[in-house]
Amino acid sequence: MAELSAAENELLLLKSKLTQQLNFIYKDVELSISCEDLSDQLVELMRLDESCTAPIAYKNHWSQKDIIMITYGDSVMKADEKPLVTLQHFMDNYLADSVNSVHILPFFPYSSDDGFSVIDYSSVNESLGGWEEIQAIAKDRRLMSDLVINHCSSRSAWFDNFIKGEGIGSDFFYTASPDDDLSNVVRPRTSDLLRETETGKGTQHVWCTFSHDQVDFDFRNPEVLKSFVSIIRLYLDMGVKIFRFDAVAFLWKKLNSSSINLPETHEVVRLLRTLLEHAQHDAVIITETNIPNTQNLTYFGNANEAHAIYNFSLPPLLINTLVTGNCLYLKRWLMSMPPSQNGTFYFNFIASHDGIGLRPAEGLLNDYELTTLVETMQQFGGKVSWRTTETGAPKAYEINIALYDALQGTTKGKDKLGLQRFLCAHSIMFGLEGVPGVYIHSLLGTQNDYEKVANTQHNRSINRHRWDYEELQDNLDDETNHHSIVLNSLKDLLDIRIKQPAFHPNATQFTLHLGLQMFGFWRQSLDRKQSIFCISNITSHEMELAIHDLNLIMTDNWYELISGEVIDVQADMMMLAPYQTVWISNILCE
């Protein structure tokens, strides 16, 4: 008998692993196909039978040079030009090498929720452009795309077939009975969970975690899994390198359970990682799980699940720190966060297309702090989105506000230090362990869009402004303009960050103890050659930093990277202006 090649051996190992994972996922489901046969089909859909090589375990496919801009495909618009082309022009002309990756929010045909109610996963929204424009962007920057995996649009062909009772999709959706006990189900919306729908098979009640236009898939049907594996293969072919698994925590449903974070959900993520890594070794999965911090951390698995998780607790904690002038809660949280293992990283952000989620702050901020934060944001023009708790009571779920406006003052009211506070927030985020994600409207210092809220009647529209590109160019080309100042200031910080080995996403991090009005942490490069002390005055008044508290090695030269100044290690004190950040390093990387 001929000896198997290395690729053939790896393929057998892969199929065996997939079969084990499938057996776990479908252990309580009666299938019409064996898990061995289903494994074969998944391998074929991903085209892994053509050539199969194992990924290197625990390898970091990222560095301090990775910065991801978050944007809609039409955040910048120009007459008679495809928005994706305009977006690429904006990135080429104004971001250059400061930002090497881009997360284009759902760019598919959709019916609601600004793209997250997908009608067709296989095509690009014609109003934005086509796959040609997506591939052009992917050639220049690492492209991150959403995989809206929990639900699709009620106007999709799949749901049309569900209504007809025949064809592909007719059995893709999760249904339940109004008589079922659904009291334990956890969800982020106040609308009814079940949507009554007349179908060719009679009246059905479709599970809708988010809205009645977003109908939830039934992953107990392996045909749903196969469809998403085909979609992943298509996105890889189109140049996508980073996959954002949207709302994945709700993927597996089970009656008489919370239907969130179920073991089957975690195993589906692990299975998709197995397939994806074998197809393209440097592909990355980021799970979008806007849930309490301890639950969110479980999506790392044992460095075998998501490559990255959203650091959802960072936005509310950091904003709370800067509007109260007290870093107690942020400091406690940072000290409790486990370092990411090699092969994983934290995805840090403080603003996005969504609002400031409050569930990830539950258990970290007390009720008084949460209430004060909500009331402060409302004073600055913010809106509040609500959810229903297990007792049926309404509770603030999300604050909707542009980040620049969120930081225009403190709990005492507005002041003139908004820009300094805004830059302080970013200098803290840019220094933290992980990869930074920067929302386009943060880069541009965009403020609350009340007109869009009035037009859409949706709170989240407040932070989803659409820029006319020519107007934006006029603003950015004027060095005295607010938007130009913000963009250039953030780019200056990013340009420093990407040169520092100590800012590698997996470099060592320790929290410093400098009182409650100074927030600080220490980073050390993987080769242990560079140290950076990241320290911020998080108050509206000048503060003294005691140099001796840092225990700087006297025989080294020390530099403040942001200003370029040499640090006098013999000095007793260093004065920090309101909201000033210093990055003190023993190596000057220019």
Side-chain angles (χ1 to χ4, degrees):
M1 187 180 214
E3 222 178 281
L4 295 177
S5 68
E8 289 170 328
N9 268 318
E10 181 55 38
L11 186 58
L12 287 175
L13 290 171
L14 170 62
K15 288 183 176 181
S16 175
K17 181 177 182 179
L18 292 171
T19 299
Q20 291 176 10
Q21 293 175 316
L22 291 166
N23 277 321
F24 181 88
I25 293 167
Y26 295 110
K27 62 184 182 297
D28 297 325
V29 180
E30 190 173 330
L31 298 178
S32 60
I33 182 176
S34 71
C35 288
E36 290 83 359
D37 289 343
L38 181 54
S39 170
D40 289 343
Q41 292 178 6
L42 296 179
V43 166
E44 184 179 354
L45 288 169
M46 286 292 280
R47 301 201 300 272
L48 298 177
D49 45 358
E50 298 172 7
S51 63
C52 187
T53 58
I56 299 173
Y58 310 114
K59 184 174 177 60
N60 298 325
H61 297 287
W62 42 82
S63 75
Q64 66 275 12
K65 297 178 182 178
D66 289 308
I67 312 292
I68 302 175
M69 182 182 76
I70 305 164
T71 182
Y72 279 102
D74 59 358
S75 290
V76 287
M77 301 278 286
K78 185 177 180 181
D80 302 322
E81 186 171 80
K82 295 176 181 178
L84 289 172
V85 173
T86 308
L87 176 63
Q88 186 165 21
H89 289 162
F90 165 73
M91 292 189 292
D92 291 344
N93 293 334
Y94 292 100
L95 301 183
D97 297 326
S98 301
V99 176
N100 69 348
S101 306
V102 59
H103 172 202
I104 305 178
L105 291 154
F107 47 78
F108 319 104
Y110 71 96
S111 56
S112 63
D113 198 16
D114 279 358
F116 287 93
S117 185
V118 179
I119 292 175
D120 178 11
Y121 289 84
S122 64
S123 63
V124 177
N125 189 336
E126 289 183 357
S127 68
L128 298 177
W131 283 118
E132 182 180 351
E133 285 71 34
I134 290 293
Q135 289 177 301
I137 290 173
K139 286 179 182 177
D140 294 336
R141 284 179 169 78
R142 202 171 194 196
L143 177 61
M144 176 169 162
S145 172
D146 290 274
L147 189 73
V148 185
I149 197 169
N150 176 70
H151 53 262
C152 72
S153 168
S154 65
R155 289 174 49 193
S156 64
W158 284 344
F159 198 68
D160 283 345
N161 287 341
F162 172 81
I163 292 172
K164 294 173 188 174
E166 59 184 21
I168 299 174
S170 61
D171 53 358
F172 274 23
F173 299 93
Y174 197 96
T175 60
S177 167
D179 297 327
D180 291 328
D181 182 3
L182 305 173
S183 58
N184 292 325
V185 175
V186 173
R187 53 195 296 262
R189 298 291 185 270
T190 56
S191 58
D192 291 337
L193 175 62
L194 300 181
R195 162 192 162 140
E196 184 175 307
T197 305
E198 297 303 322
T199 76
K201 298 178 181 178
T203 302
Q204 302 275 340
H205 293 86
V206 182
W207 193 286
C208 300
T209 298
F210 292 92
S211 79
H212 284 191
D213 185 44
Q214 293 166 300
V215 284
D216 282 31
F217 291 113
D218 186 355
F219 271 84
R220 294 175 303 179
N221 180 357
E223 292 300 317
V224 176
L225 176 63
K226 287 167 59 178
S227 294
F228 273 96
V229 170
S230 296
I231 291 165
I232 289 172
R233 180 68 260 180
L234 170 66
Y235 293 178
L236 279 173
D237 292 341
M238 295 298 110
V240 175
K241 291 288 185 68
I242 308 172
F243 292 78
R244 177 186 185 269
F245 283 13
D246 177 64
V248 70
F250 303 96
L251 180 142
W252 197 271
K253 287 84 175 165
K254 192 178 291 186
L255 296 179
N256 301 313
S257 80
S258 63
S259 291
I260 187 173
N261 305 323
L262 296 185
E264 292 87 347
T265 293
H266 285 280
E267 197 64 41
V268 169
V269 177
R270 287 193 282 269
L271 179 139
L272 293 177
R273 172 169 175 159
T274 299
L275 288 166
L276 191 59
E277 281 190 328
H278 277 79
Q280 184 156 327
H281 294 176
D282 62 348
V284 170
I285 291 172
I286 297 183
T287 48
E288 188 271 332
T289 46
N290 194 352
I291 50 180
N293 190 55
T294 54
Q295 298 174 30
N296 189 31
L297 287 167
T298 64
Y299 282 86
F300 275 140
N302 185 24
N304 64 346
E305 200 165 325
H307 297 89
I309 61 172
Y310 273 74
N311 230 342
F312 274 111
S313 297
L314 179 60
L317 291 178
L318 182 50
I319 293 169
N320 177 74
T321 293
L322 290 169
V323 299
T324 62
N326 185 324
C327 67
L328 173 64
Y329 300 98
L330 179 64
K331 184 177 173 181
R332 278 181 182 172
W333 166 76
L334 195 67
M335 291 172 63
S336 72
M337 291 294 280
S340 57
Q341 298 182 54
N342 281 329
T344 68
F345 67 87
Y346 290 108
F347 183 59
N348 296 325
F349 74 107
I350 44 178
S352 73
H353 61 293
D354 289 340
I356 304 163
L358 296 178
R359 286 209 73 204
E362 292 175 10
L364 301 173
L365 293 177
N366 60 37
D367 287 342
Y368 174 78
E369 293 288 337
L370 284 168
T371 299
T372 302
L373 179 61
V374 168
E375 291 175 350
T376 302
M377 295 300 101
Q378 287 177 312
Q379 289 178 22
F380 297 160
K383 309 290 184 181
V384 180
S385 297
W386 302 87
R387 69 180 178 95
T388 303
T389 65
E390 294 79 2
T391 62
K395 189 171 185 178
Y397 165 75
E398 180 180 86
I399 302 168
N400 304 110
I401 190 169
L403 182 63
Y404 195 88
D405 283 330
L407 296 173
Q408 63 184 289
T410 68
T411 53
K412 297 176 182 178
K414 295 182 182 180
D415 58 30
K416 296 181 179 180
L417 295 170
L419 175 63
Q420 292 90 329
R421 198 175 290 112
F422 180 82
L423 295 177
C424 180
H426 285 89
S427 63
I428 290 172
M429 179 180 74
F430 293 161
L432 286 171
E433 173 190 356
V435 172
V438 191
Y439 191 34
I440 187 172
H441 292 305
S442 294
L443 283 170
L444 299 174
T446 311
Q447 296 181 265
N448 291 337
D449 190 335
Y450 299 111
E451 184 178 349
K452 192 166 186 179
V453 174
N455 290 337
T456 65
Q457 295 298 302
H458 293 302
N459 287 348
R460 284 179 169 176
S461 296
I462 199 169
N463 196 25
R464 297 179 178 179
H465 182 70
R466 187 175 291 155
W467 276 99
D468 174 80
Y469 188 44
E470 292 183 352
E471 177 191 354
L472 180 59
Q473 284 179 302
D474 289 341
N475 285 320
L476 297 182
D477 292 343
D478 176 1
E479 293 183 358
T480 65
N481 184 277
H482 156 77
H483 303 289
S484 177
I485 292 170
V486 168
L487 178 60
N488 289 326
S489 298
L490 291 180
K491 282 173 59 181
D492 287 344
L493 288 172
L494 289 173
D495 290 343
I496 296 169
R497 175 203 153 83
I498 62 181
K499 297 171 185 173
Q500 313 307 320
F503 284 150
H504 187 284
N506 298 94
T508 299
Q509 176 174 288
F510 284 111
T511 307
L512 300 176
H513 299 283
L514 304 169
L516 298 181
Q517 296 184 311
M518 286 273 198
F519 177 66
F521 49 93
W522 172 75
R523 304 293 310 278
Q524 184 183 56
S525 59
L526 297 174
D527 62 8
R528 299 186 179 183
K529 291 181 179 179
Q530 185 185 33
S531 290
I532 302 180
F533 292 85
C534 306
I535 302 162
S536 298
N537 174 4
I538 49 93
T539 74
S540 57
H541 53 269
E542 195 174 52
M543 292 281 294
E544 290 183 341
L545 170 64
I547 298 292
H548 58 80
D549 285 347
L550 304 182
N551 294 320
L552 301 181
I553 297 173
M554 301 291 287
T555 54
D556 285 354
N557 294 318
W558 292 88
Y559 310 90
E560 202 289 284
L561 299 177
I562 297 175
S563 67
E565 294 179 2
V566 177
I567 300 295
D568 180 3
V569 293
Q570 303 290 341
D572 291 331
M573 294 291 177
M574 181 178 185
M575 299 304 298
L576 297 190
Y579 304 107
Q580 181 182 353
T581 293
V582 290
W583 290 342
I584 299 174
S585 172
N586 62 331
I587 296 175
L588 187 61
C589 299
E590 294 181 308

